[in-house]
Amino acid sequence: MLLHELAHCRAGDKGNTATLSVFPRADADYALLARVLTAERVRAHLAEFVAGEVVRHELPDLCALHFVCHEIVDGGVTTSLALDTHGKSVSSRLLALEIQ
């Protein structure tokens, strides 16, 4: 099962940092997402796009996981001409993660 089947993602970017917020489509799936979406797993899945650290913040009252991805390749959205480094592109790539 791919992550996009259980969740949606909102993205933002500033310089070479992207933020990805993952929300389960059903609140009942938050515990599963919190268990399987570790910062390390997200970093490994996005290694082609993220050269730095990925920090995870849990927001259980919102049923959300917020990831701050440092050092987006090619300098991020403000210095790269590649669409791949935009937060929206990175969030789409994250939603392709196999979770089961």
Side-chain angles (χ1 to χ4, degrees):
M1 174 183 308
L2 299 179
L3 178 58
H4 77 85
E5 296 175 55
L6 293 179
H8 63 96
C9 188
R10 299 286 299 163
D13 39 44
K14 184 69 89 174
N16 71 342
T17 300
T19 60
L20 308 173
S21 296
V22 178
F23 301 89
R25 296 183 189 283
D27 289 352
D29 291 326
Y30 175 75
L32 169 65
L33 296 181
R35 188 175 74 248
V36 301
L37 288 180
T38 63
E40 295 78 16
R41 186 146 184 229
V42 169
R43 169 68 177 86
H45 184 70
L46 299 176
E48 180 181 347
F49 304 102
V50 180
E53 180 183 20
V54 172
V55 178
R56 182 177 96 162
H57 301 278
E58 296 181 17
L59 303 164
D61 291 343
L62 299 175
C63 290
L65 297 170
H66 182 73
F67 297 91
V68 180
C69 305
H70 297 278
E71 298 180 40
I72 298 296
V73 296
D74 294 331
V77 68
T78 57
T79 60
S80 175
L81 297 177
L83 290 176
D84 292 347
T85 61
H86 287 235
K88 290 179 177 77
S89 297
V90 177
S91 69
S92 292
R93 177 70 177 125
L94 178 59
L95 290 174
L97 176 70
E98 181 74 39
I99 59 170
Q100 289 183 351

